[in-house]
Every structure is written in C-alpha cells, then in structure tokens.
Amino acid sequence: MPYRDTVRVTTSAAAVIAAALSLTACQSGGDEPAAGASRTPATTAASPAASAPAASAPTSPAPAASRPAGGGTPTATAAPASPVSRTSAKPAPPCPATALKTRAYQAADRPDGTGTGAAVVEFTNVSGGSCVLRGHPSVAGAGNGSPEHNTPLSVTPQGTASSVRLTPGGKAWVKLTFVQVQGEGDGYCASGAKPAAYPTLVVGLPGAGAHQVALDDGVFAECDNKVTATAVASVKPV
C-alpha cells in the first residue's frame, strides 16, 4: 500500500540519520573533552630544594622594650651586666707576744773568736690564727737572767724590713751578729772594753712584744754592747 511504504521509507531514513549522528559523536569525543569538563595540566615532579620549606636562621631574642609612662617611643632595655666576684683577703693582725714561742742557737756563719759571735733567734706562731711579724729587733742583755737588769745593746739594722705572714706553726727568724770576744779564758775585747756575758737576751719586735730567750748551749758573750740585726725574715739564716 502506498501509505505503508511511505512509513517504511520514513522509518528507514530516521534510522540512518540517527546512526550517522551517533558515529559523528563518537569520533569527535575521542579528540575533544566533553562539554563542561576541565583539562588538568600534567604535574611535573618538583625538586627537593623547591618542595622543602626554606630554613630560617635562628635569631637572638630582641631585648625587651620599655615604654616610658605617658607614651613616647619605647627604648630597648639593656641586658643586666654579669656580677663581678671579688675576693678580699682580710689582712692578718700583728703577732701578739702570746702567739710566739722563741728559741736561740749559735749561727753557723759567725766572726772568728771565742765568744758567741752570732746567734739566730727563731719565732714560731703557736696560736690558732695567722699573724704578721715585721721589722728589726731591739736587743738587750738580761743581767743574771733578770730583765729588770737589762743592758740595752746598740743595734745596727741590716737589710730591708718586710712583712712576714705566719700561719699557725709557721716560723720566722732574725740573725744577731755581735762584736766577737777574742782570746782564751774570759777573753778580751779588741776595743779594750771588758767582755760581757748574758744568760739570756730580751729580743723585741715592733708590735709583737719582748721575748726573753736563752741559747740552746752556752751564754751570749759579746764586746762593746753592739749587735748587727737582720730584719725578721721567712728564710732561716745561717
């Protein structure tokens, strides 16, 4: 029938057109993205230096700023200065007479003769604290061992005086050199004076009192009542 054939032709034509449209859509879809889709660019690997965060150098803390009352520009407060340690050694006092023990013995180096010639007087600190001796001694012969019968000797100082610090048990010395007695027996003095003999001497030091001392062996025999005396020293004389 003409109508039925017309319908068949129309239907076949529609099918051909639909197939053609479908093929066209498939071909164009392989080359271009679908409508509304975004193209994502390829990502390249970043270098470690670029991807790692930059290291920041350590910074010292800024000094605290103090703002003056009533406004104004704040000023930096200076860091406090380090405390300075000071060691102050308290000077030792002069040795009192009660702090000292004395002894005397004949010196190895003495003038030729038959008298004492020279003697060393030793001072020992027998106290519990440190103390100081200084200066040249005074010397007197104690008649019959009695200080009340002293005969002062004329002292010629020898050497420069300096302070000698004695710790407990410490020692210091002076050396006394006399005008030597000559000859045998009681001897004689080159000056023509009569020799003198003293069982003990009274030896004084400035600020340290007077000390009566006997020789370890014998008596002090001398001429002219003269003596040369060194300043008190920390080195034992000979």
Side-chain angles (χ1 to χ4, degrees):
M1 293 178 63
Y3 173 76
R4 185 177 298 173
D5 292 339
T6 302
V7 172
R8 286 177 183 169
V9 171
T10 304
T11 303
S12 299
V16 171
I17 293 171
L21 292 174
S22 175
L23 179 60
T24 302
C26 290
Q27 290 175 349
S28 63
D31 296 331
E32 298 294 334
S38 61
R39 183 185 299 270
T40 303
T43 304
T44 58
S47 64
S51 60
S56 59
T59 58
S60 302
S66 61
R67 184 180 297 276
T73 304
T75 56
T77 303
S82 301
V84 178
S85 60
R86 296 179 180 178
T87 303
S88 57
K90 184 178 180 180
C95 296
T98 55
L100 299 173
K101 179 182 178 181
T102 59
R103 64 176 287 244
Y105 52 89
Q106 291 196 36
D109 183 11
R110 59 184 188 267
D112 292 335
T114 57
T116 306
V120 175
V121 181
E122 179 182 276
F123 300 88
T124 303
N125 180 7
V126 293
S127 72
S130 296
C131 59
V132 171
L133 293 178
R134 181 184 176 89
H136 293 86
S138 61
V139 183
N144 296 322
S146 300
E148 55 271 19
H149 297 111
N150 282 355
T151 300
L153 274 61
S154 176
V155 177
T156 299
Q158 185 179 53
T160 303
S162 59
S163 296
V164 177
R165 183 186 179 98
L166 297 184
T167 56
K171 298 178 184 297
W173 298 267
V174 296
K175 182 176 180 179
L176 308 177
T177 303
F178 304 97
V179 177
Q180 182 65 295
V181 177
Q182 305 296 324
E184 299 295 332
D186 291 336
Y188 65 94
C189 296
S191 64
K194 183 179 180 180
Y198 302 103
T200 60
L201 292 180
V202 178
V203 180
L205 284 174
H211 305 269
Q212 187 172 357
V213 59
L215 276 174
D216 284 352
D217 182 21
V219 295
F220 297 98
E222 53 85 27
C223 285
D224 303 335
N225 289 340
K226 294 180 180 179
V227 61
T228 299
T230 64
V232 64
S234 59
V235 178
K236 181 166 62 175
V238 294

mmCIF file of all heavy atoms in Angstrom, residues 62-66 75-81:
data_model
loop_
_atom_site.group_PDB
_atom_site.id
_atom_site.type_symbol
_atom_site.label_atom_id
_atom_site.label_comp_id
_atom_site.label_asym_id
_atom_site.label_seq_id
_atom_site.Cartn_x
_atom_site.Cartn_y
_atom_site.Cartn_z
ATOM 1 N N ALA A 62 65.059 39.598 70.841
ATOM 2 C CA ALA A 62 65.291 41.036 70.944
ATOM 3 C C ALA A 62 65.129 41.472 72.375
ATOM 4 O O ALA A 62 64.345 40.911 73.134
ATOM 5 C CB ALA A 62 64.293 41.774 70.051
ATOM 6 N N PRO A 63 65.937 42.450 72.806
ATOM 7 C CA PRO A 63 65.796 42.933 74.181
ATOM 8 C C PRO A 63 64.418 43.516 74.395
ATOM 9 O O PRO A 63 63.825 44.120 73.502
ATOM 10 C CB PRO A 63 66.899 43.992 74.304
ATOM 11 C CG PRO A 63 67.191 44.408 72.895
ATOM 12 C CD PRO A 63 66.954 43.188 72.064
ATOM 13 N N ALA A 64 63.910 43.321 75.581
ATOM 14 C CA ALA A 64 62.594 43.820 75.911
ATOM 15 C C ALA A 64 62.599 45.326 75.819
ATOM 16 O O ALA A 64 63.537 45.992 76.211
ATOM 17 C CB ALA A 64 62.206 43.369 77.313
ATOM 18 N N ALA A 65 61.539 45.844 75.271
ATOM 19 C CA ALA A 65 61.445 47.300 75.138
ATOM 20 C C ALA A 65 60.617 47.849 76.274
ATOM 21 O O ALA A 65 59.601 47.277 76.662
ATOM 22 C CB ALA A 65 60.814 47.650 73.796
ATOM 23 N N SER A 66 61.077 48.923 76.822
ATOM 24 C CA SER A 66 60.344 49.575 77.888
ATOM 25 C C SER A 66 59.688 50.819 77.336
ATOM 26 O O SER A 66 60.315 51.581 76.605
ATOM 27 C CB SER A 66 61.285 49.930 79.043
ATOM 28 O OG SER A 66 62.276 50.818 78.584
ATOM 29 N N THR A 75 62.045 52.303 74.423
ATOM 30 C CA THR A 75 63.504 52.147 74.331
ATOM 31 C C THR A 75 63.880 50.753 74.780
ATOM 32 O O THR A 75 63.270 50.192 75.686
ATOM 33 C CB THR A 75 64.218 53.169 75.220
ATOM 34 O OG1 THR A 75 63.743 53.029 76.556
ATOM 35 C CG2 THR A 75 63.940 54.587 74.746
ATOM 36 N N ALA A 76 64.911 50.191 74.119
ATOM 37 C CA ALA A 76 65.350 48.835 74.453
ATOM 38 C C ALA A 76 66.030 48.838 75.811
ATOM 39 O O ALA A 76 66.823 49.715 76.120
ATOM 40 C CB ALA A 76 66.305 48.304 73.386
ATOM 41 N N THR A 77 65.713 47.836 76.625
ATOM 42 C CA THR A 77 66.325 47.704 77.947
ATOM 43 C C THR A 77 67.609 46.900 77.826
ATOM 44 O O THR A 77 67.595 45.799 77.283
ATOM 45 C CB THR A 77 65.370 46.997 78.916
ATOM 46 O OG1 THR A 77 64.164 47.747 78.967
ATOM 47 C CG2 THR A 77 65.984 46.907 80.307
ATOM 48 N N ALA A 78 68.693 47.445 78.288
ATOM 49 C CA ALA A 78 69.984 46.747 78.185
ATOM 50 C C ALA A 78 69.981 45.521 79.077
ATOM 51 O O ALA A 78 69.366 45.512 80.143
ATOM 52 C CB ALA A 78 71.113 47.691 78.577
ATOM 53 N N ALA A 79 70.698 44.457 78.608
ATOM 54 C CA ALA A 79 70.803 43.241 79.413
ATOM 55 C C ALA A 79 71.608 43.535 80.669
ATOM 56 O O ALA A 79 72.559 44.310 80.640
ATOM 57 C CB ALA A 79 71.500 42.146 78.597
ATOM 58 N N PRO A 80 71.231 42.935 81.803
ATOM 59 C CA PRO A 80 71.965 43.207 83.049
ATOM 60 C C PRO A 80 73.389 42.700 82.953
ATOM 61 O O PRO A 80 73.662 41.678 82.347
ATOM 62 C CB PRO A 80 71.170 42.411 84.099
ATOM 63 C CG PRO A 80 70.441 41.374 83.312
ATOM 64 C CD PRO A 80 70.137 41.988 81.973
ATOM 65 N N ALA A 81 74.315 43.457 83.514
ATOM 66 C CA ALA A 81 75.730 43.064 83.495
ATOM 67 C C ALA A 81 75.964 41.877 84.408
ATOM 68 O O ALA A 81 75.271 41.699 85.409
ATOM 69 C CB ALA A 81 76.597 44.245 83.936
#
